[in-house]
Amino acid sequence: MTDTRVDSLQDEDLDSQDIERDVAAVSSALRRSFVVLAVILIVAIPIIWWIARPAPKPDVQASVVSLPELREKPRLEAPHTPFQEIGRQAGLSFVQENGAAGEKLLPETMGGGCAFLDFDNDGDQDILLVNSCRWPWDANSDRPGTEKPASTMCLLANDGKGQFADVTEQAGLKVSFYGMGAAVGDYDNDGRVDLFITAVGPNHLFHNVGNRFVDVTVNAGVSGSPDAWSSGCGWFDYNNDGRLDLIVGNYVRWSREIDRVQDFRLVGVGRAYGPPNSFEGAFPQLYRNEGDGRFADVSRESGIQVVNPYTGVPAAKTLGIAPVDLDGDGWMDLILANDTVQNFVFHNQRDGTFREIGAESGIAFDSGGNARGAMGIDVADFRNDHTLGVAIGNFANEMNSLYVAQGSPLSFVDASVATGLGPETRLQLTFGLFFVDYDLDGRLDLMMSNGHLEAEINKVQSSQQYAQPPQLFWNSGPDSSSEFLRVTAEQCGPDLFQPIVGRGAAFADLDGDGDQDVLLTSVADRPRLLRNDQQLGHRWLRFKLVGHQANRDAIGAWVEVTADGDLLRRQVMPTRSYLSQCELPVVIGLGERKQISKIQVRWPGGQTQDVTNYELNRTTVVEQAASPKK
């Protein structure tokens, strides 16, 4: 019989031997792994160090630095060209009524349009002053002893020597409403200029029937919405059919209730005028002239109504309007100066529509991509080299803009700082502004009308004043260290720079001496009429254009004079500045230039016409040729 205990012991011995063999094998494998790993590390560490070692520093070698060569140019001085304030002695007793009664409603500080026009065709420039009125809910107007005659606009007839007579009533303009701005143009081509007046509420069109105006708003279809607040406006022929069309800017969606409920405040002062960014925008309107005294509202289909993509409301808050042919294709484009939102540039597509190109043109924003508080606007060839400049007046603590075409006529850059305007205009709040050759040297200068919104602004901003002095910048040309130089009282006299709460601004030759006189309006105050008394001896040309194929006023035409090799270009365009209109005739100063080699008119639509019959220092009437010369 087998002993099972012996068998069991033998099995245990066998298991123990197997375990010992396994342990020995594992130990041997681990030793080999450690050896291999050690070899790898010994080889890899030097390689890694070599790859990651810091690059050796190059030998320092001295080099000569060449600094850019600076162009040394002298700082020229503006000429002595005195302006004299002649408003009272010339017969201007008008005082603007803004309706302010303590509620601080925004329209009260935004009005003050004005216009120069020859309404009676006697060859001299008359004056229109747009007025607002007392609010219908003003309880003071019903109290005994507080009654005042209803405020109306004022039409002043020029006697040709700079004296004015009030002809408002006999001209049919003694009408009271809350007026804002004006547009002057002969919309029916009958040889007499008509008037369009914007307002808070319905707008008004007055047809000139011969030294008297008739309100034809309803029949013409241009009153706009009864609850709209219209602002800048202008006549221009956007479709080249020879009839003036009408562009109307609207500011914001406003009502007394909307304004009051927001309860704007100045710290330590109380109720204040509200900023426009607290109100919704409003669409501009384009009215096409149908030729029978009526207009068609083509605002939507023309492409000028831009919607804010984030809110779905109208994007525009328009105050200034500049019609201009930007690219010289014979078709009028539009620039709208918008307050606290981007400016718009509408490029005419020559099929009845416009394409908005503000951002791609460079005019929509400032150089940092920000929208500014834009008010007045003007466009001109200020360098006499076919380079257009777009000047825009902005809010306080924002430099005024000067967008200058660069290469492409539809591409602009803000050159305000580079031209010398920027730092000098940063503190002012600019409403009206325009290009004007005040010294008749052949270069366009810049005039600006300034004034704040709040009478007590100095209590919260020590750098600001309610009434502010106007500014004049002399265009010193390419031979000066700065392109625009600020003119001082020593150079132009103290009258021009007396502080006002400036709004509208316009220019015209009132006394037939060739130089441009200036009209500045003020909130709740009388306007300032400044006669230009320069005596520099500069010669000048003055042209009044009469269109036949083009609109009769030739609005949009360019007059080009080549003198001593310089090309001097001026556009026939009354719509300039803020809510205002300048004279229709074009004045071109010649300065010291002696030889005129060519004078040419570029009519709207592209027709060109040489002018050979002209007189120096007098007005030359140019009739459009019957047969277009291509």
Side-chain angles (χ1 to χ4, degrees), residues 72-85:
E72 294 293 338
K73 290 190 175 184
R75 184 175 177 86
L76 304 180
E77 293 292 332
H80 180 66
T81 50
F83 283 83
Q84 182 177 352
E85 210 288 310

Side-chain angles (χ1 to χ4, degrees), residues 551-562:
N551 67 87
R552 186 173 178 85
D553 287 333
I555 289 175
W558 286 84
V559 180
E560 301 179 347
V561 174
T562 304

Side-chain angles (χ1 to χ4, degrees), residues 406-426:
Q406 300 289 308
S408 165
L410 298 178
S411 178
F412 290 78
V413 64
D414 192 345
S416 182
V417 173
T419 57
L421 290 172
E424 296 280 6
T425 61
R426 187 181 63 84

Side-chain angles (χ1 to χ4, degrees), residues 110-396:
M110 301 297 289
C114 61
F116 284 114
L117 71 162
D118 183 7
F119 83 98
D120 50 7
N121 279 341
D122 64 354
D124 50 48
Q125 295 298 307
D126 311 302
I127 292 176
L128 176 77
L129 297 164
V130 179
N131 208 356
S132 301
C133 65
R134 301 179 78 172
W135 296 112
W137 52 79
D138 182 3
N140 291 326
S141 61
D142 298 327
R143 293 178 183 174
T146 63
E147 300 90 348
K148 294 194 304 184
S151 57
T152 72
M153 71 187 88
C154 180
L155 180 64
L156 299 164
N158 189 347
D159 68 356
K161 301 176 182 178
Q163 290 293 312
F164 295 86
D166 189 334
V167 295
T168 310
E169 187 168 8
Q170 51 266 51
L173 296 178
K174 202 170 183 64
V175 185
S176 183
F177 55 91
Y178 207 99
M180 281 281 139
V184 176
D186 181 7
Y187 74 85
D188 57 348
N189 291 328
D190 66 354
R192 298 183 291 264
V193 292
D194 310 297
L195 289 174
F196 182 79
I197 312 293
T198 58
V200 176
N203 301 317
H204 295 264
L205 176 61
F206 295 96
H207 183 220
N208 190 339
V209 296
N211 300 345
R212 186 172 61 87
F213 292 89
V214 176
D215 192 329
V216 296
T217 311
V218 174
N219 183 65
V222 292
S223 64
S225 173
D227 60 355
W229 175 358
S230 298
S231 52
C233 55
W235 297 102
F236 77 126
D237 183 6
Y238 82 97
N239 54 4
N240 282 338
D241 64 356
R243 299 189 293 263
L244 287 176
D245 311 298
L246 180 64
I247 177 68
V248 180
N250 291 301
Y251 188 31
V252 294
R253 180 173 172 263
W254 180 89
S255 70
R256 182 192 185 198
E257 292 71 28
I258 294 173
D259 203 326
R260 283 168 55 90
V261 76
Q262 301 192 56
D263 196 27
F264 306 105
R265 296 277 166 175
L266 280 179
V267 177
V269 175
R271 169 77 178 174
Y273 291 107
N277 52 18
S278 297
F279 299 86
E280 288 185 5
F283 286 133
Q285 292 169 288
L286 178 62
Y287 294 99
R288 185 182 64 215
N289 191 336
E290 301 293 85
D292 58 358
R294 294 177 296 178
F295 292 78
D297 188 341
V298 295
S299 308
R300 184 185 298 274
E301 56 263 43
S302 66
I304 67 164
Q305 294 190 336
V306 180
V307 175
N308 186 315
Y310 303 104
T311 63
V313 302
K317 296 181 181 180
T318 302
L319 289 174
I321 290 180
V324 59
D325 179 5
L326 288 171
D327 52 356
D329 64 354
W331 295 75
M332 296 293 288
D333 310 299
L334 281 172
I335 307 175
L336 304 188
N338 291 318
D339 192 1
T340 70
V341 297
Q342 70 178 76
N343 302 315
F344 290 147
V345 178
F346 293 108
H347 185 223
N348 196 326
Q349 302 298 288
R350 299 187 282 187
D351 59 0
T353 68
F354 294 84
R355 186 171 72 89
E356 205 287 303
I357 60 168
E360 61 188 270
S361 71
I363 295 176
F365 304 103
D366 67 11
S367 56
N370 303 304
R372 288 188 271 201
M375 266 74 76
I377 184 171
D378 197 10
V379 184
D381 179 1
F382 72 99
R383 286 177 174 164
N384 296 331
D385 63 356
H386 279 276
T387 298
L388 287 182
V390 180
I392 299 178
N394 294 317
F395 202 77

